Amino acid sequence: MRLGLALGYWGRGPDPRHLELARLAEELGYSSVWTSESWGSDAFTALTWIAAHTSRIRLGTAVAQMAARTPTATAMHALTLDHLTGGRLLLGLGLSGPQVVEGWYGRPFPASPLTATREYVDVVRQVLRREAPVTLDGRFHPLPYPGPDGTGMGKPLKPITHPLRADVPVLLGAEGPRNIAQTVRIADGWLPLYFSPERAGMYAGTLAEARPGFLVAPLVQARLCDDVAEGLLPVKAMLGFYVGGMGHARRNFHAELMARMGYGEAAAQVRELFAAGRREEAVRAVPDAFADEISLVGPRARLAERLALWHAGPVTDLLVTAADPATLRALADLNS
């Protein structure tokens, strides 16, 4: 099981620690470093900056939002960055949810998310293979554009630039059972958001269908500390925000996943409190047990015990979110 460093996205501004942490991760032998985006900083620019200051570590997006760019635009980002880094790119994509797609990008959330994802990946792969002009008779991403408001003069095109690699790994962020099953069929890896090594059996049947070399790369908050309860507070704060606030009352993928993992009542309570503006109470309502099983928190001996659980499952790459060098060093040592 390889280790990766997940830096996420910026808050109010650039995090001055990110470049230092990325360089340290490379020095410690971490396999990859990952950036993300929500509705602020974008994933590719920050990753390019890190790429310019490193030389070996692989560079991933976890995740780049599909609604933010057409699939050809994403493929252009990918082939450009893959060239500039000598083939270090891992392209992680995610659909996001209706709140972000419609509220931020001003686009309709696809009525068939699986079809939209499948078409998106198809176009990206066509660009990177550069075998023929890119065409797709698709519902969501047709090329050339066939709509009644078009000119009818669209022409199928191949990228001018020859991609460095036709097989840049494409990973998908997926939460629902059908989405995960499709990810196994069409992608090179899966980026789970909440993954518990104690519940890996939930996905055993689906992952059994994966091709050799398929990546399972969950994002995990980690902290080396003496007080486990205190160390879990940032994990609970993240869960409170995502489960309580990242979704609509009618549809919240994060809350639905938490319910499938056995915490349905707690998820409903977190959503109710968050919607009422009682955010601190919403964070406290996140069960410590749930926060603990999807993270790596505690003294060194406890981290070693928990890390062994991750090794025993299907995870190939553990993408660690940690803000301090001590945690990164401890995990590198324990994972060696």
Side-chain angles (χ1 to χ4, degrees):
M1 186 179 72
R2 296 175 292 261
L3 294 178
L5 172 64
L7 295 173
Y9 46 80
W10 298 349
R12 291 187 177 184
D15 191 323
R17 301 169 298 177
H18 279 183
L19 185 56
E20 176 187 348
L21 290 172
R23 286 170 159 172
L24 176 62
E26 182 172 69
E27 175 189 322
L28 293 173
Y30 279 61
S31 174
S32 54
V33 58
W34 303 73
T35 56
S36 187
E37 59 190 13
S38 53
W39 51 90
S41 61
D42 78 277
F44 288 104
T45 306
L47 196 62
T48 303
W49 182 252
I50 291 167
H53 292 83
T54 57
S55 59
R56 302 181 308 277
I57 197 166
R58 294 188 300 170
L59 306 149
T61 56
V63 294
Q65 295 175 331
M66 289 185 249
R69 308 164 188 86
T70 65
T72 47
T74 292
M76 290 168 66
H77 277 295
L79 73 85
T80 303
L81 188 50
D82 202 48
H83 263 294
L84 292 174
T85 62
R88 290 195 276 156
L89 182 66
L90 298 159
L91 181 61
L93 303 171
L95 197 58
S96 192
Q99 185 184 46
V100 174
V101 173
E102 298 184 3
W104 182 248
Y105 294 115
R107 304 180 59 183
F109 188 77
S112 178
L114 295 180
T115 301
T117 299
R118 189 166 57 249
E119 291 183 7
Y120 201 102
V121 172
D122 186 345
V123 172
V124 168
R125 291 202 189 280
Q126 285 191 58
V127 173
L128 294 175
R129 287 196 300 265
R130 202 181 179 274
E131 294 173 345
V134 180
T135 61
L136 184 71
D137 182 17
R139 176 180 174 185
F140 299 100
H141 301 289
L143 286 171
Y145 179 69
D149 56 341
T151 65
M153 295 185 288
K155 176 183 177 181
L157 299 169
K158 287 199 299 185
I160 296 171
T161 304
H162 291 231
L164 178 66
R165 292 185 296 164
D167 57 350
V168 171
V170 175
L171 298 86
L172 295 175
E175 295 181 32
R178 293 176 60 217
N179 200 353
I180 297 169
Q182 175 172 271
T183 296
V184 168
R185 293 194 301 272
I186 71 171
D188 303 300
W190 173 37
L191 293 160
L193 184 58
Y194 312 137
F195 189 95
S196 167
E198 300 169 30
R199 301 174 192 269
M202 292 175 57
Y203 311 108
T206 301
L207 292 177
E209 304 297 321
R211 66 179 68 89
F214 186 83
L215 305 178
V216 178
L219 287 81
V220 179
Q221 288 203 42
R223 185 178 177 189
L224 175 67
C225 60
D226 294 327
D227 189 329
V228 174
E230 181 184 349
L232 288 175
L233 287 177
V235 185
K236 295 179 65 170
M238 176 272 294
L239 288 168
F241 175 65
Y242 275 78
V243 173
M246 287 282 282
H248 192 270
R250 295 198 307 268
R251 195 71 198 268
N252 183 313
F253 300 126
H254 307 289
E256 292 168 12
L257 175 57
M258 185 173 171
R260 284 195 298 274
M261 296 176 72
Y263 295 95
E265 291 185 9
Q269 184 182 14
V270 170
R271 295 184 70 186
E272 180 180 342
L273 290 168
F274 199 95
R278 298 155 63 184
R279 298 192 175 190
E280 291 185 7
E281 292 179 62
V283 170
R284 290 197 297 270
V286 175
D288 282 6
F290 179 53
D292 189 34
E293 67 180 90
I294 65 169
S295 63
L296 276 166
V297 172
R300 183 182 176 91
R302 191 173 193 271
L303 291 184
E305 293 176 4
R306 299 289 301 168
L307 199 60
L309 295 176
W310 293 91
H311 272 279
V315 172
T316 61
D317 296 79
L318 194 67
L319 310 187
V320 175
T321 297
D324 63 291
T327 298
L328 295 182
R329 291 184 186 279
L331 290 176
D333 185 43
L334 293 171
N335 197 61
S336 60

